[in-house]
Amino acid sequence: MSWVLVLKVDAPTREAWWQTELARRVPDIEVRIWPDTGPLDAVDGALVWYPPPGDLARYPNLQAIFSIGAGVDHIINDPDLPALPLTRMVDTNLTERMREYVVLHVLRYHRRQPDYDALQQARRWEELDQPHASGRRVGILGLGELGTSSANALALLGFDVAGWSRRPKSLDGVATFHGADGLVPFLSRTEILVCLLPLTAATSGLIDAAFLARLPAGAALINAARGDHVVDPDLLAALDRGHITGATLDVFSEEPLPADHAYWRHPKVTVTPHISAITDPVSSADQVAENIHRLRAGEPLINLVDLNQGY
Ligand code: NDP
Ligand code: OXD
């Protein structure tokens, strides 16, 4: 009996790549590329990136939804989401890519590269004050798969690292804060802030004017999580006032970032096009195949999302 997986990845080269990797691991399934799904009642599973709202409710025999991303807000936000097991990507390759992105941009602010870029533009040969890494306080919002790995890497480089999570956590070499009560002390000691939170009802719009005001003057922000964590006009105002010295943004409320958005041309903003940690089918297909095997064997799935918490 054939098992049908609908694949919606929105990038033709990745479609073929996923098909190849899945065929290697589960050769007896049929992978159909959305929107050419074939008969809707034949579809057993969906491997998706940003499915249109209502789409997943169209398959009457769907057994599970697999998110191509580590984040699942793109699926959970669907008001017609069927009540099915939902899994997300947890992958060493993805974690390592994010860790590289975070380290790259933390070092860039720490070593004052934006200031040296400005000096180069002005052809000025000038040495700027440079604290040691141990005197630089970096804060990570979210101590999950990505936040923990990034925090550990920064701690190894000698930074004074803290992290904030929903529940209490203990991490060697990292000061930990949690919950609403932990947020203010965490922010007040953070000079370079990295956002690696999932987008949920509790975290949407978290980075607003009041939040930014809690950071010390001159702090920098790196957001590699989701655009809707940030209230854009509040961040732009904080940048223009100089309270926030720079922002590196990989994710945006609207993607692609519209051509007329202020972030593109703001001198204190670095824009990257949602590339901090792209899911690699070669490393990620294992867990999709594993979950297909488990579904067919009636076993519990791995990397399940807690639908009550939204991540
Ligand atoms: P995890 O689920 O492993 O970790 C989430 C962390 O956030 C946990 O530490 C959790 O706390 C914390 N958290 C959740 N809600 C709250 C809250 N209300 N208050 C405080 N802390 C909270 O996620 P990942 O690390 O795998 O991924 C994080 C996000 O990164 C994804 O959801 C996705 O949006 C984004 N991402 C972006 C990519 C990109 O290319 N730009 C690539 C991959 C992911 P606790 O530990 O207590 O549960
Ligand atoms: C993810 C992403 O969630 O790529 O994995 O944003």
Side-chain angles (χ1 to χ4, degrees):
M1 188 186 66
S2 130
W3 203 90
V4 176
L5 180 78
V6 160
L7 170 67
K8 180 180 181 295
V9 63
D10 291 343
T13 52
R14 282 177 183 267
E15 284 165 2
W17 200 359
W18 270 111
Q19 276 183 308
T20 307
E21 295 306 322
L22 289 167
R24 282 205 180 112
R25 293 160 177 85
V26 265
D28 60 335
I29 69 163
E30 191 183 330
V31 178
R32 295 190 187 150
I33 307 297
W34 190 94
D36 296 325
T37 59
L40 298 177
D41 61 357
V43 174
D44 300 285
L47 174 61
V48 287
W49 179 246
Y50 282 88
D55 187 69
L56 294 165
R58 294 189 310 139
Y59 312 101
N61 297 316
L62 194 67
Q63 296 166 41
I65 302 159
F66 311 123
S67 169
I68 284 177
V72 290
D73 48 289
H74 61 111
I75 295 170
I76 282 192
N77 290 341
D78 181 348
D80 298 318
L81 183 68
L84 293 171
L86 168 64
T87 68
R88 70 187 198 95
M89 283 300 161
V90 178
D91 176 47
T92 313
N93 184 318
L94 188 143
T95 302
E96 288 168 359
R97 287 170 194 236
M98 183 60 84
R99 190 171 69 201
E100 285 174 4
Y101 185 92
V102 169
V103 168
L104 169 69
H105 291 281
V106 166
L107 282 172
R108 186 167 158 267
Y109 287 118
H110 169 61
R111 295 302 304 254
R112 306 190 61 176
Q113 193 56 45
D115 297 328
Y116 283 112
D117 289 345
L119 286 171
Q120 181 177 351
Q121 286 301 315
R123 301 180 191 203
R124 274 171 54 199
W125 183 274
E126 202 176 305
E127 186 182 315
L128 304 172
D129 289 344
Q130 179 61 60
H132 189 263
S134 59
R136 182 72 81 187
R137 287 166 289 139
V138 183
I140 316 277
L141 289 166
L143 284 178
E145 294 293 330
L146 307 181
T148 297
S149 176
S150 300
N152 286 338
L154 292 166
L156 268 177
L157 286 172
F159 286 101
D160 183 353
V161 186
W164 183 68
S165 52
R166 189 169 59 83
R167 298 164 290 190
K169 278 243 149 86
S170 164
L171 267 184
D172 273 355
V174 176
T176 52
F177 298 80
H178 69 276
D181 291 348
L183 186 59
V184 171
F186 165 81
L187 292 178
S188 58
R189 52 92 66 213
T190 292
E191 295 170 289
I192 302 176
L193 178 71
V194 181
C195 180
L196 288 173
L197 287 169
L199 185 68
T200 66
T203 65
S204 181
L206 181 74
I207 304 178
D208 63 4
F211 176 106
L212 292 167
R214 298 282 187 191
L215 292 166
L221 168 70
I222 298 164
N223 183 18
R226 286 293 181 265
D228 282 344
H229 285 123
V230 175
V231 178
D232 294 333
D234 293 1
L235 175 58
L236 286 163
L239 286 162
D240 290 340
R241 264 201 338 274
H243 181 68
I244 299 298
T245 199
T248 294
L249 307 173
D250 184 51
V251 284
F252 304 90
S253 293
E254 185 180 347
E255 295 181 4
L257 184 64
D260 61 351
H261 200 289
Y263 284 147
W264 280 118
R265 57 182 192 285
H266 198 290
K268 294 180 183 168
V269 174
T270 298
V271 168
T272 55
H274 201 141
I275 46 70
S276 50
I278 292 172
T279 301
D280 177 353
V282 177
S283 56
S284 303
D286 279 346
Q287 66 194 274
V288 179
E290 169 73 19
N291 271 335
I292 291 171
H293 287 310
R294 283 169 174 253
L295 259 187
R296 292 163 114 183
E299 291 168 8
L301 305 189
I302 54 169
N303 303 328
L304 271 172
V305 170
D306 176 345
L307 292 166
N308 291 321
Q309 292 302 333
Y311 69 96

